[in-house]
Amino acid sequence: MSGPHVIRGSVFLPEAELMWRFSRSSGPGGQHVNTSDSQVELRFDLARTEALPEVWKERALERLAGRLTGGVITVRASEHRSQWRNRETAAVRLAALLAEATAPPPKQRRPTRIPRGINERRLREKKQRAETKRGRSARDWG
């Protein structure tokens, strides 16, 4: 593995809390595919982790509720032929998922009013356009 995977800021995925499982992968591989366990399943106990600040943990548990099984989030990777590359992919995916789930909510938009002049100009142009189209009607051709 290429060092700790940063979630955001100085918070990273602790290697001790990651649970790995390997199995045979479908997909490319040739003769080697039937003998190697290249598919990776990475599990992270989000409910019991001490690595995340409490606020982040609550936010992530709420946002990832549909993906959790007993407070544990699972990420699978089987795109690559090598187990090592699949491990890297799974860890990066988990870090990205947690970064997105722990991000603070966006600032609420303050509704703004359309200036009266802009609205009046829009209505004036609309009337002009309607007049132009009305002038094209076939009833005047006689």
Side-chain angles (χ1 to χ4, degrees):
M1 298 290 299
S2 62
H5 292 277
V6 178
I7 296 173
R8 203 169 58 250
S10 61
V11 180
F12 59 92
L13 284 174
E15 192 64 42
E17 292 186 23
L18 300 178
M19 297 168 276
W20 300 94
R21 210 173 99 200
F22 308 100
S23 58
R24 291 197 181 130
S25 178
S26 62
Q31 296 169 337
H32 185 62
V33 76
N34 296 328
T35 59
S36 63
D37 292 339
S38 60
Q39 178 174 299
V40 172
E41 184 178 287
L42 173 58
R43 297 163 53 91
F44 180 69
D45 196 342
L46 189 57
R48 292 198 192 101
T49 186
E50 297 295 320
L52 298 176
E54 202 56 42
V55 178
W56 287 20
K57 194 178 357 179
E58 288 169 14
R59 216 180 277 157
L61 285 168
E62 183 183 317
R63 289 180 183 170
L64 297 173
R67 285 195 63 161
L68 296 175
T69 309
V72 176
I73 187 147
T74 305
V75 175
R76 255 195 205 98
S78 62
E79 297 83 52
H80 306 289
R81 289 170 62 163
S82 113
Q83 184 188 96
W84 184 82
R85 285 180 67 193
N86 282 331
R87 282 178 66 129
E88 282 290 309
T89 304
V92 167
R93 244 188 241 159
L94 179 63
L97 190 66
L98 288 174
E100 192 178 320
T102 59
K107 287 186 176 148
Q108 211 168 14
R109 181 186 170 278
R110 259 183 51 214
T112 55
R113 289 186 56 197
I114 297 170
R116 197 167 82 205
I118 290 176
N119 209 24
E120 286 173 357
R121 187 178 70 205
R122 181 183 64 84
L123 293 172
R124 192 169 51 249
E125 287 172 358
K126 205 170 165 180
K127 276 187 181 145
Q128 282 177 343
R129 185 83 179 133
E131 198 58 44
T132 304
K133 289 188 170 196
R134 203 175 300 120
R136 292 180 189 158
S137 67
R139 65 187 153 99
D140 292 342
W141 305 94

